[in-house]
């Protein structure tokens, strides 16, 4: 019997790649999504790529009024675990609308816990972020951080959700919990069929570069050229979304293989830092397009350099990132070229 996994936010950028990886791994998949920042077309393409159907529960996991409906739907199928990605994710918006972020991201987690408890399933892989480390830690960032100081409401929702899940395990040691701390997810499925489809002006570097390369935007603003880094621009640990997806499947296998309940906080990154200028050059090489840019002021809240220590993921999950920067750019570019207006195009 194949295992059945609930994927919250399964139609989103990371969720869609996770669903394909699960289908390829022989899992059955049910998605909960309300399409607030995603497109139903993504699930059609997931089914095509993964060679299997995805069951959809279209509902808002953060909405108290939807819980009975979702619980009923989930109770109709045995679920062996959940990968929890549903939530809001724009840092700037979270500063402007903190209550919306706390309400949505915390309630989605609390409601999922209630639903999983009700159907007797105790495995949750949570989509956390390197943002939980915040300021004051040394690179490479290890999971045993000296301080946890996320710098914005979005980051704090990730931090609080991690703690909620850890407290759940403390209350009942049967739970199997993995908090996956993503570094910077980029790229797309090599088919070019699924990828990131940001609404409005992209906040993140790769989608912005891709839209400049395709001619949708005039030039990139490089936020700060005077950081104490090797070329003055910000350094991040970019990870191919395909690697991230396989990391979720590895985490799930790890949890299912444990004799007893457990909780683990694990970085998912490559362990390598890449500067903004290096990312621009790599994208130019791969796309054969010029990326006009101008160096502007630093973006408030940005750190100079962030990259992961990836030892723990290797030890616990027997997993490591395989794709390099060129492949991240090539796949991101293919998705952008084939879908210039995202899923609406
Ligand atoms: N950058 C630019 N110009 C842009 C966009 C970004 O120069 O138009 C720079 C940033 O200053 C930074 C780097 O490119 O140095 C990466 O920025 P992103 O916005 O792509 O990513 P962040 O590292 O700021 O944010 C990511 C995730 C967040 C998460 C955060 C902290 O997108 O969800 O990491 O881990 F909270």
């Amino acid at each position: 019997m194949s295992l059945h996994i609930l994927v919250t936010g399964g139609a989103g950028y990371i969720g869609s790649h996770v669903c394909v990886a699960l289908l390829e791994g022989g899992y059955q998949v049910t998605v909960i999504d309300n399409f607030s920042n995603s497109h139903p077309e993504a699930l059609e393409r997931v089914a095509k790529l993964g060679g299997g159907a995805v069951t959809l529960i279209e509902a808002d996991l953060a909405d108290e009024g939807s819980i009975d409906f979702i619980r009923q739907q989930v109770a109709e199928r045995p679920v062996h675990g959940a990968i929890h990605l549903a939530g809001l994710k724009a840092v700037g918006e979270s500063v402007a609308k903190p209550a919306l972020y706390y309400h949505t991201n915390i309630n989605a987690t609390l409601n999922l816990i209630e639903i999983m408890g009700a159907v007797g399933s105790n495995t949750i892989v949570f989509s956390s972020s390197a943002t939980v480390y915040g300021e004051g830690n040394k690179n490479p960032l290890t999971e045993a951080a000296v301080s946890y100081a996320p710098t914005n409401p979005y980051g704090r929702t990730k931090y609080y959700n991690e703690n909620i899940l850890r407290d759940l395990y403390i209350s009942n040691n049967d739970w199997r919990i993995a908090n996956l701390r993503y570094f910077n997810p980029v790229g797309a499925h090599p088919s070019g069929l699924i990828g990131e489809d940001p609404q409005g002006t992209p906040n993140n570097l790769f989608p912005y570069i891709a839209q400049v390369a395709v001619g949708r935007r005039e030039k990139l603003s490089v936020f700060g050229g005077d950081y104490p880094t090797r070329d003055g621009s910000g350094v991040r640990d970019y990870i191919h979304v395909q690697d991230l997806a396989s990391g979720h499947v590895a985490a799930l296998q790890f949890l299912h293989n444990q004799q007893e309940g457990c909780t683990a906080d694990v970085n998912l990154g490559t362990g390598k830092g890449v500067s903004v200028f290096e990312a621009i050059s790599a994208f130019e090489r791969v796309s054969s397009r010029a990326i006009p840019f101008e160096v502007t002021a630093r973006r408030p809240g940005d750190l100079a350099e962030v990259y992961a220590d990836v030892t723990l993921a290797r030890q616990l999950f027997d997993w490591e990132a395989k794709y390099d920067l060129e492949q991240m750019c090539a796949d991101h570019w293919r998705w952008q070229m084939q879908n210039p207006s995202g899923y609406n195009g």
Side-chain angles (χ1 to χ4, degrees):
M1 188 193 64
S2 64
L3 298 183
H4 192 154
I5 306 302
L6 196 60
V7 184
T8 79
Y13 170 42
I14 296 166
S16 55
H17 292 79
V18 167
C19 287
V20 172
L22 286 170
L23 290 171
E24 285 173 349
Y27 293 88
Q28 290 181 57
V29 177
T30 291
V31 164
I32 302 177
D33 210 303
N34 66 348
F35 302 114
S36 70
N37 187 26
S38 62
H39 205 287
E41 173 65 18
L43 292 180
E44 303 289 329
R45 300 188 187 183
V46 162
K48 198 185 282 181
L49 290 170
V54 171
T55 308
L56 171 66
I57 301 172
E58 185 172 350
D60 180 354
L61 183 60
D63 172 22
E64 198 70 31
S66 300
I67 297 196
D68 286 343
F69 168 70
I70 298 173
R71 195 193 301 105
Q72 274 166 18
Q73 294 283 308
V74 175
E76 283 174 16
R77 55 212 112 207
V79 173
H80 301 93
I83 297 181
H84 176 37
L85 306 120
L88 300 174
K89 61 167 189 179
V91 173
E93 186 185 48
S94 81
V95 175
K97 300 176 182 171
L100 174 69
Y101 270 66
Y102 289 117
H103 174 87
T104 306
N105 291 1
I106 306 289
N107 280 341
T109 300
L110 294 175
N111 291 344
L112 177 67
I113 290 169
E114 191 188 321
I115 290 161
M116 296 295 277
V119 301
S121 177
N122 57 16
T123 302
I124 299 178
V125 174
F126 173 57
S127 156
S128 189
S129 166
T131 195
V132 298
Y133 296 118
E135 288 167 295
N137 292 292
K138 276 234 276 295
N139 287 295
L141 293 162
T142 62
E143 289 84 354
V146 181
S147 66
Y148 288 90
T151 55
N152 54 71
Y154 158 77
R156 280 186 278 277
T157 67
K158 293 293 183 192
Y159 179 65
Y160 296 146
N161 274 337
E162 280 196 4
N163 281 287
I164 288 168
L165 291 168
R166 224 175 282 121
D167 285 341
L168 185 68
Y169 168 76
I170 292 168
S171 76
N172 175 350
N173 290 173
D174 288 341
W175 283 95
R176 293 157 189 256
I177 304 291
N179 293 314
L180 302 184
R181 296 174 177 164
Y182 311 159
F183 281 69
N184 289 57
V186 298
H189 192 276
S191 64
L193 282 178
I194 55 173
E196 187 170 13
D197 183 15
Q199 310 293 310
T201 309
N203 298 308
N204 298 116
L205 182 65
F206 267 66
Y208 207 105
I209 289 181
Q211 291 193 5
V212 172
V214 85
R216 241 172 103 177
R217 305 198 183 265
E218 194 192 335
K219 65 178 171 208
L220 172 76
S221 296
V222 175
F223 298 144
D226 58 351
Y227 281 109
T229 58
R230 53 182 171 268
D231 62 17
S233 68
V235 168
R236 295 290 181 275
D237 184 340
Y238 298 97
I239 172 169
H240 198 298
V241 66
Q242 287 285 90
D243 277 330
L244 206 56
S246 72
H248 286 73
V249 178
L252 204 54
Q253 280 166 348
F254 165 79
L255 294 178
H256 282 149
N257 286 341
Q258 300 308 297
Q259 305 290 343
E260 298 171 336
C262 62
T263 173
D265 307 327
V266 183
N267 289 339
L268 293 186
T270 64
K272 294 188 194 80
V274 169
S275 76
V276 174
F277 292 128
E278 288 162 355
I280 295 172
S281 299
F283 212 98
E284 284 184 326
R285 257 193 324 274
V286 160
S287 64
S288 304
R289 302 277 175 103
I291 315 284
F293 67 84
E294 109 183 285
V295 177
T296 62
R298 294 180 181 187
R299 184 170 62 178
D302 272 357
L303 301 179
E305 192 158 24
V306 179
Y307 57 92
D309 184 307
V310 293
T311 314
L312 190 61
R314 210 179 292 135
Q315 281 173 356
L316 294 186
F317 303 160
D318 191 24
W319 169 93
E320 62 184 6
K322 294 193 176 72
Y323 291 82
D324 64 14
L325 182 62
E326 298 273 311
Q327 289 166 301
M328 297 179 207
C329 294
D331 290 335
H332 210 109
W333 180 233
R334 187 177 306 104
W335 155 256
Q336 180 70 57
M337 290 283 278
Q338 287 180 203
N339 308 270
S341 310
Y343 290 110
N344 293 316

